[in-house]
Amino acid sequence: MGEPMERRRFLKVLGVTGGGAALLSGCGIGPEPTEKLIPYLIPPEDQVPGTPTYYATTCRECPAGCGLHAKVREGRVVKLEGNPESPINHGRLCPRGQAGLQGLYNPDRVAGPLERTGDGQWKPIAWDDAIGRVAAKVKGARGKGIVFVTGHESGAFGELVDEWMRQVGGRHVIYEPFAFEALREGNRLAFGTSAVPWYDFANARYLVSFGADFLDTWVSPVGYQNGFARAHGFQAGRDASMAKFVFVGPRLSLTGMNADEWIAAAPGTEGLLALAMASVIVRERLAPVPSDAARLASLLSRHAPAQVASAVGIEPSVIARLAREFAASKGGLAVAGGIAAQYPNGAAIVAAANILNYVAGTVGKTVKFGPNDSLGGAGAGSFQQMADLVSDMEAGKVAVLLVHGANPAHSLPGAFSQAIAKVGFKVGFSPYLDETAAAADLILPDLHPLEQWNDARPRAGLFALLQPVMQPVFPDARHTGDVLLRAAGRDQTFQEYLQGRWRELHRRHGGGKSFEQFWSEALQHGGVYGEAPLQPVRLASGVAQLTATPPALAGGPGETVLTVFPSIGLYDGRGANKPWLQELPDPVSKITWHAWVEVHPATAARWGVTNGDFLLLKSPYGAVKAPVWITPGVRPDVLAAATGQGHTAYGRYAKDRSGNAFELLSSAPNGYGGRTFSVAVSVVKTGEHRRLATAEGDPRELGAHNVEVLPLGRARQLKSGERAFEEHEAPAYAERALEDWAAAQHEKASLGNYAGEHPRWGLAIDLATCTGCSACVTACYAENNIATVGEELVVRRRVMSWMRVERYYTGGEHGEPVGAVVTPMLCQQCGNAPCEPVCPVFAAYHTADGLNGQVYNRCVGTRYCSNNCPYKVRYFNWYNFAEQGGEWESWPAPLDMLLNPDVTVREKGVMEKCTFCVQRIRGAQNRARLEDRTVRDGEIVPACAQACPSEAIVFGDLHDRRSRVSELAQDPRGYHVLAGLNTKPAITYLAKVVHDG
């Protein structure tokens, strides 16, 4: 970055713009040469200062392939949004997708090619020398073992790697730590195909998830959440049905928290339950049974409810009820995966769920083969391939290893890390110095996906494009595709190679257009979106021999079953170098910046531990120390831990944080070629304790009614104009005083800028569709330049997030079933705001259009406003998070390039809060004024509403009776939080609706 702007330097630069330039030059002030400012008279063709440009591209933070719109200001990306044209995510985006920006500007990126010296240090190397060295090593290793490891690649780059490996006699190994092997094998066992179908959540009328965390990380969480919200949400006036959702699994994940019913089945028994439900449907003829289902007779007869109930841990009558409800819906959807697919019998559990769908007649309706996901098929990779590679490396059969888009040294910390030392020459293409790159001999940093050409095929019929949306942040990084083409002796760029592949696509889908037009339109829209025809499937011949018997997971009497699950933010660890994701409270535990182990209250009482006590977990494969988090959302005989932390490298935000849960797992593949993520562990109390870095308040509402819940039957009965929840803003004795006060306020509201008619901006948040995924939280960080404060300050409760998603547990007492409810909490923009009258310097004030404004340069930091806010949604800058090089610096260069130029970066001593993205409001108002019109309903979309995969947040003018937000504010389910305080909030919450019983 440049030098600090001292007074002398400021005068010199100022002088360049006027006559003072000659004077300062003549005086010879300072040793620096005079700098000249270049006027912006001829700007780039596609950029206007102050006006954003949007480019369509594709997200690569996970294999789902969501469409993106990158917002570019003056040549730098400042915000990522979902592409509304993408059939994958419908314009919505998860926290990991939002945080892709911090991967682009990460301060720990490798700036240029590096080679390891004899003493183990890194030194720069020229690209020509580096590529020549790779080509020579590969040439010399022919016949001795050449392996290229990549992550999931469904497009042209993967094809290029395949071509090059065939050319040099090597092999391409695809490695994803969570590769859905059980899903593919389960489909093959049931239907004879390893394809991963498209699950139509939006049209399902009854959902059963056997461990599939489709709202967390399973297959395509943004698209599936969007469909789930449409099926499971409540809309007055729509048909009376609202899909019921049952979650089966030992741990209450984010997906489980959104279920109407949680069945805490014993680990590995989910398949028994699915087969028992299928048995009831066939025996009682609850649905038209396909003709070939007769071959299932013996299998289903062995899995009647009475025969499996004790193993699952529920009553036979419950199994029968679930089966009847599932069949009666005539639109059931059973999915299996997540934790259920990570047992040794995970493939059998998936096959059992497939059988349930098949006998209920939903295959082809809600389970659609044909538009298959790219995660299916032989090209998706498996853990078996990686295990075979590790064996070959150990045996000295690999002379050259190249790694791109994968970090096996973190997810296979023992086996891979030991074996890689026996490889003669290792090349890492990672843009970051992760664990695998740190073990390499040569690092050739790739461009970030936002800087490069590429494509992806997330689903059959869909072809998504990636394009560079800005110049590389580090100019000496190179696209790995360009490097491979040069190493292979081919005289073309990867962009040309990609266009060559798309010429084949043009011949099939061009529609008579020239290739240039076809290519240009594809870039504009983010790809080519077609539809693949449905493919019928029948039962496989050997399906009757399916064995769903659960394995013996725990060993000795002192051992407990531990399930290891992917973190919703950090996933397999790839998100750990992004501070937005580190500081994002886990949607279930609300813990940030470190790992934890989940323990049931009864188990914690038996062991004598409390929140923050450390346990040492020992498995046959390793040991990890983690603090306890006590939760009713896990079975008493099960522990749970998330992946993502425990890095030994990977930059300042990831390194040396907690333990690595992967260390507890076996490195041997199971029977279906996948990895087993459940293991028996012994538990030892260490005597250590820490305060958890958590954003959780009280885990239960304690009668506050922040989240109102309506049974479905009651919600159906509500008529327009009714109110399900009576709100008394003040006691009767205070009504006269309030009337007099209101009259005085109306009189003052007719003065100055407050005179005339103004909008009143408001939000409606539908808790029937909000899942608590926290996409809104990360979007708010990205849009409003919110500082990440780090683990120490989170422990001290000094987090700066303008939005929080509160989670409260329900039930669990007196035999009631355990569940959870969530609600987003942000500034309510009160009409009668308690924060405003207590500010001694009028920094907190009321705008004419109903916002609780905050004047940053007027604020002196008394914090009276925060003390007086009943919602606790005001946040104080205890430190200068924007100070370059400071102790609490939040945006070290080049991370500061992501700052939104439309939003002030706050300084130490200033109070801040949600503004309803006032910069977007004023921008839309200015455009409307220039076009001589009023602002249209729906024209202004705050960042939280734009990102929300459930479309649960609606913004608009409450004074416009035709606006959608005004209609929702009058919905019979509507209520205001803490309405009895007479704060008159501008946010209306619509009560959560749950199935009766």
Side-chain angles (χ1 to χ4, degrees):
M1 296 296 294
E3 301 165 33
M5 183 59 74
E6 299 173 350
R7 179 175 179 270
R8 175 176 293 179
R9 180 170 169 75
F10 170 74
L11 289 172
K12 287 185 66 179
V13 175
L14 179 67
V16 175
T17 63
L23 174 63
L24 291 174
S25 176
C27 294
I29 298 177
E32 312 99 322
T34 301
E35 298 181 12
K36 296 184 178 180
L37 301 181
I38 301 175
Y40 208 62
L41 297 178
I42 309 176
E45 182 180 345
D46 59 347
Q47 292 183 17
V48 178
T51 301
T53 306
Y54 292 85
Y55 297 96
T57 186
T58 302
C59 181
R60 294 301 307 274
E61 295 301 313
C62 82
C66 293
L68 292 181
H69 277 171
K71 179 181 178 182
V72 177
R73 281 287 302 271
E74 287 78 52
R76 59 187 175 94
V77 189
V78 296
K79 188 72 168 67
L80 298 177
E81 307 287 5
N83 181 353
E85 296 184 67
S86 170
I88 299 294
N89 57 317
H90 309 284
R92 308 291 161 166
L93 204 57
C94 72
R96 281 186 287 157
Q98 297 275 345
L101 211 56
Q102 293 197 313
L104 172 68
Y105 296 123
N106 195 283
D108 298 313
R109 280 183 65 178
V110 181
L114 301 173
E115 66 172 342
R116 189 183 297 279
T117 60
D119 59 357
Q121 301 300 310
W122 295 104
K123 74 170 186 178
I125 181 175
W127 272 107
D128 289 343
D129 296 339
I131 296 173
R133 191 174 172 195
V134 170
K137 289 287 186 179
V138 168
K139 183 178 180 180
R142 286 177 181 254
K144 301 176 184 177
I146 304 170
V147 180
F148 203 129
V149 177
T150 71
H152 178 70
E153 293 287 349
S154 59
F157 179 77
E159 293 171 351
L160 174 60
V161 173
D162 286 336
E163 289 179 19
W164 191 43
M165 287 298 99
R166 284 194 298 269
Q167 176 185 331
V168 300
R171 77 179 190 264
H172 180 192
V173 173
I174 299 169
Y175 175 64
E176 286 284 342
F178 299 98
F180 304 97
E181 297 96 339
L183 187 56
R184 299 196 297 271
E185 178 64 11
N187 292 342
R188 191 194 64 79
L189 290 174
F191 300 128
T193 175
S194 61
V196 175
W198 175 49
Y199 298 98
D200 190 356
F201 283 87
N203 289 310
R205 307 306 333 143
Y206 195 101
L207 292 160
V208 183
S209 171
F210 296 97
D213 297 321
F214 56 84
L215 301 180
D216 300 55
T217 58
W218 190 71
V219 185
S220 185
V222 176
Y224 286 164
Q225 181 175 333
N226 189 268
F228 171 76
R230 296 175 189 275
H232 191 250
F234 177 83
Q235 293 183 19
R238 195 179 69 170
D239 59 33
S241 61
M242 182 184 93
K244 183 175 181 179
F245 175 34
V246 178
F247 185 79
V248 182
R251 174 183 178 266
L252 196 66
S253 62
L254 172 65
T255 302
M257 289 196 321
N258 284 275
D260 298 290
E261 184 175 356
W262 174 37
I263 296 176
T269 65
E270 294 89 343
L272 298 179
L273 177 57
L275 289 176
M277 291 175 63
S279 174
V280 172
I281 292 173
V282 172
R283 187 181 69 246
E284 298 183 6
R285 299 183 179 276
L286 300 177
V289 180
S291 58
D292 60 343
R295 70 181 70 167
L296 299 171
S298 62
L299 174 66
L300 299 182
S301 66
R302 299 194 305 270
H303 294 87
Q307 294 170 283
V308 306
S310 61
V312 177
I314 59 176
E315 295 295 324
S317 59
V318 175
I319 299 176
R321 172 180 61 81
L322 293 174
R324 291 167 188 148
E325 291 175 353
F326 188 82
S329 71
K330 302 190 184 308
L333 173 59
V335 291
I339 287 179
Q342 294 162 5
Y343 306 126
N345 65 333
I349 294 172
V350 173
N354 283 331
I355 290 172
L356 174 58
N357 283 320
Y358 194 74
V359 300
T362 64
V363 175
K365 297 178 181 177
T366 56
V367 181
K368 298 181 178 180
F369 286 90
N372 301 324
D373 196 279
S374 65
L375 293 168
S382 70
F383 188 69
Q384 179 72 59
Q385 294 179 3
M386 178 54 68
D388 293 343
L389 170 60
V390 171
S391 297
D392 289 346
M393 291 161 61
E394 284 280 5
K397 297 179 181 179
V398 179
V400 174
L401 177 69
L402 306 103
V403 183
H404 174 277
N407 187 12
H410 172 72
S411 52
L412 277 170
F416 187 89
S417 298
Q418 294 170 13
I420 196 172
K422 299 182 180 180
V423 177
F425 185 66
K426 292 91 65 180
V427 182
F429 293 98
S430 174
Y432 318 101
L433 195 63
D434 58 28
E435 289 84 350
T436 305
D441 300 302
L442 191 63
I443 299 178
L444 307 180
D446 191 17
L447 295 175
H448 188 272
L450 293 172
E451 300 169 327
Q452 65 176 231
W453 292 101
N454 209 337
D455 69 346
R457 292 148 205 182
R459 199 168 73 206
L462 304 183
F463 306 89
L465 270 174
L466 284 77
Q467 63 173 317
V469 300
M470 66 176 288
Q471 291 293 320
V473 177
F474 295 93
D476 205 25
R478 282 197 188 179
H479 194 315
T480 302
D482 291 330
V483 174
L484 300 187
L485 287 166
R486 278 200 57 191
R490 297 169 66 169
D491 186 20
Q492 65 178 151
T493 65
F494 184 76
Q495 179 184 358
E496 293 167 344
Y497 177 86
L498 175 66
Q499 288 181 323
R501 311 300 293 185
W502 273 67
R503 289 185 186 278
E504 300 175 14
L505 189 63
H506 169 250
R507 285 191 280 272
R508 301 199 308 270
H509 301 278
K513 302 172 186 174
S514 67
F515 175 75
E516 288 70 22
Q517 182 182 0
F518 173 76
W519 176 256
S520 177
E521 290 180 359
L523 286 176
Q524 180 182 350
H525 298 290
V528 174
Y529 308 122
E531 293 185 6
L534 296 182
Q535 298 172 352
V537 293
R538 309 298 292 179
L539 288 176
S541 56
V543 68
Q545 282 71 52
L546 183 70
T547 302
T549 305
L553 295 173
E559 292 186 327
T560 306
V561 175
L562 171 75
T563 62
V564 176
F565 60 93
S567 162
I568 190 172
L570 310 185
Y571 194 46
D572 55 9
R574 69 186 68 180
N577 67 340
K578 302 174 179 69
W580 284 344
L581 298 182
Q582 286 280 15
E583 197 145 302
L584 177 69
D586 178 84
V588 178
S589 71
K590 297 301 170 185
I591 291 174
T592 69
W593 288 104
H594 64 80
W596 68 94
V597 58
E598 298 178 6
V599 182
H600 189 274
T603 307
R606 190 171 72 251
W607 290 348
V609 296
T610 188
N611 281 341
D613 288 349
F614 275 90
L615 297 179
L616 181 64
L617 310 177
K618 295 182 178 180
S619 79
Y621 316 105
V624 168
K625 188 171 66 173
V628 166
W629 178 61
I630 300 172
T631 170
V634 68
R635 281 176 59 99
D637 56 349
V638 171
L639 303 176
T643 60
Q645 300 285 14
H647 285 274
T648 58
Y650 204 33
R652 71 193 73 182
Y653 300 111
K655 186 179 179 182
D656 299 332
R657 295 193 179 278
S658 307
N660 182 358
F662 283 115
E663 293 182 6
L664 297 168
L665 303 177
S666 171
S667 58
N670 53 31
Y672 55 84
R675 191 174 191 181
T676 299
F677 285 84
S678 296
V679 65
V681 296
S682 61
V683 179
V684 178
K685 292 194 294 182
T686 69
E688 299 170 88
H689 181 83
R690 64 157 295 164
R691 288 181 64 186
L692 299 178
T694 177
E696 183 182 36
D698 197 284
R700 294 182 180 271
E701 276 195 282
L702 304 178
H705 295 284
N706 292 343
V707 183
E708 297 285 5
V709 179
L710 282 174
L712 178 58
R714 171 70 176 126
R716 285 172 173 165
Q717 295 169 357
L718 292 173
K719 301 291 190 297
S720 179
E722 283 188 70
R723 282 288 177 182
F725 309 101
E726 291 293 330
E727 295 184 350
H728 298 285
E729 295 181 342
Y733 65 80
E735 288 181 358
R736 178 60 186 272
L738 284 176
E739 290 175 2
D740 294 343
W741 174 86
Q745 290 296 103
H746 283 301
E747 181 180 348
K748 292 180 180 178
S750 63
L751 304 176
N753 291 337
Y754 293 84
E757 301 217 354
H758 299 279
R760 189 193 180 189
W761 304 114
L763 280 181
I765 302 178
D766 190 350
L767 300 184
T769 54
C770 174
T771 65
C773 72
S774 301
C776 53
V777 176
T778 308
C780 185
Y781 268 88
E783 174 71 18
N784 293 296
N785 299 341
I786 298 176
T788 51
V789 300
E791 181 176 351
E792 179 184 340
L793 292 186
V794 172
V795 169
R796 292 163 64 183
R797 297 290 180 155
R798 298 200 169 159
V799 68
M800 298 302 299
S801 175
W802 290 0
M803 287 189 77
R804 64 179 185 267
V805 179
E806 298 177 351
R807 181 264 303 126
Y808 301 108
Y809 282 112
T810 60
E813 300 169 349
H814 312 297
E816 298 176 354
V818 173
V821 292
V822 297
T823 184
M825 183 55 61
L826 61 158
C827 177
Q828 303 290 297
Q829 310 293 347
C830 302
N832 186 19
C835 57
E836 293 169 3
V838 296
C839 179
V841 294
F842 300 101
Y845 77 107
H846 209 75
T847 70
D849 48 0
L851 300 179
N852 303 142
Q854 182 74 17
V855 184
Y856 297 135
N857 64 355
R858 187 183 289 169
C859 177
V860 297
T862 64
R863 292 176 285 130
Y864 296 164
C865 55
S866 180
N867 295 336
N868 220 33
C869 174
Y871 305 98
K872 299 307 167 194
V873 287
R874 287 177 158 264
Y875 306 94
F876 185 68
N877 285 269
W878 292 92
Y879 302 98
N880 190 351
F881 300 110
E883 180 184 4
Q884 293 184 7
E887 180 182 1
W888 305 101
E889 183 182 15
S890 186
W891 299 281
L895 202 57
D896 55 347
M897 292 177 68
L898 59 74
L899 291 172
N900 185 350
D902 293 331
V903 178
T904 301
V905 178
R906 282 75 65 189
E907 296 280 340
K908 176 181 176 179
V910 171
M911 187 67 69
E912 61 183 69
K913 54 174 276 297
C914 168
T915 66
F916 277 178
C917 293
V918 67
Q919 66 278 7
R920 296 192 178 195
I921 296 173
R922 299 297 178 246
Q925 288 175 325
N926 290 339
R927 286 193 301 272
R929 190 177 297 113
L930 289 172
E931 297 171 10
D932 195 22
R933 60 174 177 81
T934 59
V935 175
R936 305 183 187 96
D937 184 38
E939 185 176 356
I940 304 171
V941 183
C944 56
Q946 189 166 8
C948 179
S950 298
E951 304 180 34
I953 303 175
V954 176
F955 179 83
D957 178 10
L958 292 169
H959 287 169
D960 180 2
R961 295 304 174 189
R962 295 170 298 179
S963 70
R964 189 170 172 224
V965 72
S966 180
E967 292 174 359
L968 292 172
Q970 301 304 316
D971 191 285
R973 289 189 290 134
Y975 70 96
H976 299 100
V977 174
L978 303 181
L981 298 180
N982 192 37
T983 55
K984 301 186 183 301
I987 298 181
T988 303
Y989 291 86
L990 273 60
K992 183 178 179 65
V993 179
V994 297
H995 277 260
D996 303 275

